[in-house]
Amino acid sequence: MTAQATPKGTSTGTPKGAWTITFLLFLFMLVNFADKIVVGLAGGPIMDELKLSPEQFGFLGSSFFFLFSISAIVVGFIVNRIDTRWVLLAMAVIWSVAQFPMVGTVGFATLVICRIILGAGEGPAFAVAAHAIYKWFPDEKRTLPTAILSQGSAFGVILAVPALNWIIVNHSWHYAFGALGIVGLMWAAAWLVMGKEGPLVHTVTTAATDPRVPYLQLLTSRTFIGCVAATFGAYWALSLGLTWFTPFIVKGLGFSQTDAGWISVLPWVFGAAIVLLTGWISQVMLTRGYTTRGARGVLGSVPLIVGGLILAVLPYVNGAGWQIAFLVVGSGLCGSIYVVCPPMLGEFTPVQQRGAVIAIYGAIYTLAGMIAPFVMGAVIQNAAVPLDGYMSGFTINAVIMAASGLLGLLLLWPNTERKRLMAQAATQPKFA
């Protein structure tokens, strides 16, 4: 079996400066996920100070995603026409400004409003960053940069959690938000000076072999549906980790806030290893002649199924240490799918439509982030004891992860998708 050939008109060389841009966008995602994790990390102090119930705190976690998907879709179409350089800069400024109101005394309503604004600014982040990186790397070289980009999320948590938790413990959770606002502005300044638009977009856009495909066909293709389904399950686990992992450690297992800060790093360390390993294995498989069905589709789906099965065992494990280990490994395996789905969508989506398609994909699967934290909060609040509620919530997560992995395994066939879509588009009126 052979890997899909590189489309005509696509350069196989990597332009000078590509890895500098990759590093800057890695930092972009690092700040992005540090912004996301702070509410979950400060969950105990926030609930205590504002007198929030588990259901209210779940609503706070979900509020981040209220405009997340809508913003992702709107900005996805914008980056088809406007340079990603300026869009990325605008998003970083919005993130930073949205953090500063929390430095002072705030109520629940203000906190929710600021999280909604932050979510609107961060909704398009990964899609726009991936679209920007793909202007610097040809298709056969995109998996590793995508893995590095994804690692910004893990390292954002790994590096930020100890620092933010120190601020929370020794000063106040309010100042943790302010610190993130300052860091966001620092990234924006660096990007303004060093950020550039990739050169490969011009070559690919003008290629005669890359006509437009109706969006209806792109969005109903089995690989697009498979990516959405698989990543939905992964993001359910991710959003629970962002919102509920630290409260579970503190209020469910009885650890102190100081200890919970260090423990909260573990899922992201494991997830970082999984993502980098997936990117490396995928790249090696492609160079050895595997199709992208195997090197991306199967490689991303199977860990989801395994992770779901591990989480299903969690309620039957005794001891806090083992429970943390099963939770870390089970939820951490979902990271593989983030590495492989954007390149799979890039395989069959015309470059002039890629920003919108990746953004719509992100907008749909991140709906899990709006649902999962609130569901967990409701389950905890209605349980006889909090620990039972957490275990029931993780069981729901296990079922969703395993089911999403199975759907991915059935539907992800990117190596044949482009040929089929191009043939289908050639026989139908162009109405995209």
Side-chain angles (χ1 to χ4, degrees), residues 63 88 99 127 140 142 246 251 256 280 284 299 336 374:
S63 67
L88 290 164
Q99 303 288 14
E140 72 277 7
R142 288 175 182 166
T246 305
K251 296 183 178 293
S256 69
W280 177 74
V284 169
L299 185 64
S336 293
F374 182 76

Side-chain angles (χ1 to χ4, degrees), residues 98-240:
Q99 303 288 14
F100 290 121
M102 268 74 75
V103 174
T105 302
V106 293
F108 179 63
T110 301
L111 190 54
V112 167
I113 291 170
C114 288
R115 293 301 286 180
I116 291 173
I117 294 172
L118 181 67
E122 294 196 350
F126 184 79
V128 176
H131 184 51
I133 273 188
Y134 295 170
K135 295 179 181 181
W136 289 90
F137 295 90
D139 179 65
E140 72 277 7
K141 296 182 180 180
R142 288 175 182 166
T143 307
L144 185 56
T146 304
I148 293 172
L149 181 66
S150 298
Q151 281 320 285
S153 61
F155 279 89
V157 177
I158 292 168
L159 297 177
V161 162
L164 292 174
N165 198 56
W166 183 87
I167 295 173
I168 292 167
V169 171
N170 293 282
H171 298 280
S172 167
W173 62 268
H174 297 275
Y175 292 113
F177 284 89
L180 289 172
I182 293 171
V183 171
L185 291 178
M186 290 172 62
W187 184 90
W191 181 254
L192 183 62
V193 174
M194 302 173 65
K196 297 178 182 178
E197 203 73 6
L200 296 185
V201 62
H202 305 298
T203 302
V204 181
T205 302
T206 55
T209 57
D210 200 21
R212 291 178 65 86
V213 176
Y215 278 105
L216 181 63
Q217 294 178 10
L218 292 169
L219 302 181
T220 56
S221 65
R222 64 182 177 184
T223 298
F224 180 86
I225 294 171
C227 279
V228 168
T231 319
F232 183 92
Y235 210 79
W236 188 286
L238 177 69
S239 59
L240 288 185

